[in-house]
């Protein structure tokens, strides 16, 4: 079980700005398969998997103009503030905000933006865990019980693994390793997704 956070802000300070961007992009990418299942994404006009592939490519080229344009598109696609706080909205908002913070990290070079991208991924896992817990156990819970839920543990472990990759890989190989790992994992598994929908 992962007890500590998957990373610390001090860890970000030890990474290059490029690697901070990639770790942040990985956080958004891990959430993208669940976002892609949502009708809210279609209404927003964002095909998230294709968009993320383009953003990873832009990060490799350090194409700031593309990232700035995409950031505006992502912000325009966020659910309105008065939208009901359903699980669909929670998943969409956290995925898009993780991506927005990653893009801001790329465009303004502020490492703290990567921290916020990772926090939004954790928030998404935490909210999914709460819903899954309540469906089986009711309203009463301890924070330790939610933190021990598989979806939270998986995200913390994936964040820790992303940092391990960033620290152990060169600049030339880090992006490809982080990108492929992020697209390969599940955020909420198919069984968890079915439980969320029921």
């Amino acid at each position: 079980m992962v007890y500590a956070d998957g990373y610390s802000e001090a860890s970000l300070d030890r990474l290059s700005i490029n690697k901070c961007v990639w770790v942040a992009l990985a956080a958004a990418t891990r959430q993208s398969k669940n976002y892609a299942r949502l009708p809210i994404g279609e209404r927003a006009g964002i095909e998230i998997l294709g968009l993320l592939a383009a953003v990873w490519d832009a990060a490799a080229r350090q194409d700031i103009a593309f990232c700035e344009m995409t950031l505006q598109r992502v912000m325009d696609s966020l659910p309105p503030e008065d939208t009901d706080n359903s699980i669909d909205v929670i998943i969409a908002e956290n995925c898009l905000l993780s991506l927005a913070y990653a893009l801001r990290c790329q465009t303004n070079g502020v490492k703290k933006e990567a921290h916020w991208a990772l926090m939004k991924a954790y928030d998404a896992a935490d909210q999914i865990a709460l819903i899954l817990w309540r469906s089986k156990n009711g309203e009463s819970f301890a924070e330790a019980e939610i933190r021990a839920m598989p979806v939270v543990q998986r995200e913390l472990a994936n964040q820790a693994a992303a940092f391990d990759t960033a620290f152990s890989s060169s600049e030339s190989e880090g992006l490809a390793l982080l990108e492929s790992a992020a697209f390969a994992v599940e955020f909420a598994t198919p069984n968890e997704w079915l439980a969320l929908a029921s």
Side-chain angles (χ1 to χ4, degrees), residues 36-100:
R37 294 184 175 111
L38 301 175
I40 196 170
E42 295 170 13
R43 289 198 304 272
I46 283 194
E47 197 287 298
I48 195 71
L49 298 174
L51 179 64
L52 275 161
V55 171
W56 279 101
D57 182 60
R61 294 180 283 107
Q62 297 186 5
D63 186 341
I64 302 300
F66 177 86
C67 291
E68 288 174 341
M69 178 187 67
T70 305
L71 174 59
Q72 187 57 56
R73 184 176 171 202
V74 168
M75 295 304 293
D76 290 344
S77 299
L78 283 167
E81 288 186 18
D82 60 352
T83 306
D84 291 339
N85 206 24
S86 68
I87 187 59
D88 285 11
V89 171
I90 289 167
I91 289 171
E93 184 172 71
N94 282 299
C95 180
L96 290 175
L97 285 173
S98 283
L99 178 53

Side-chain angles (χ1 to χ4, degrees), residues 12-58:
L12 288 168
D13 289 338
R14 293 165 44 212
L15 292 177
S16 69
I17 190 62
N18 285 339
K19 287 183 176 181
C20 285
V21 171
W22 304 339
V23 165
L25 271 179
T29 302
R30 285 191 297 273
Q31 299 171 71
S32 63
K33 288 179 189 174
N34 292 131
Y35 180 97
R37 294 184 175 111
L38 301 175
I40 196 170
E42 295 170 13
R43 289 198 304 272
I46 283 194
E47 197 287 298
I48 195 71
L49 298 174
L51 179 64
L52 275 161
V55 171
W56 279 101
D57 182 60

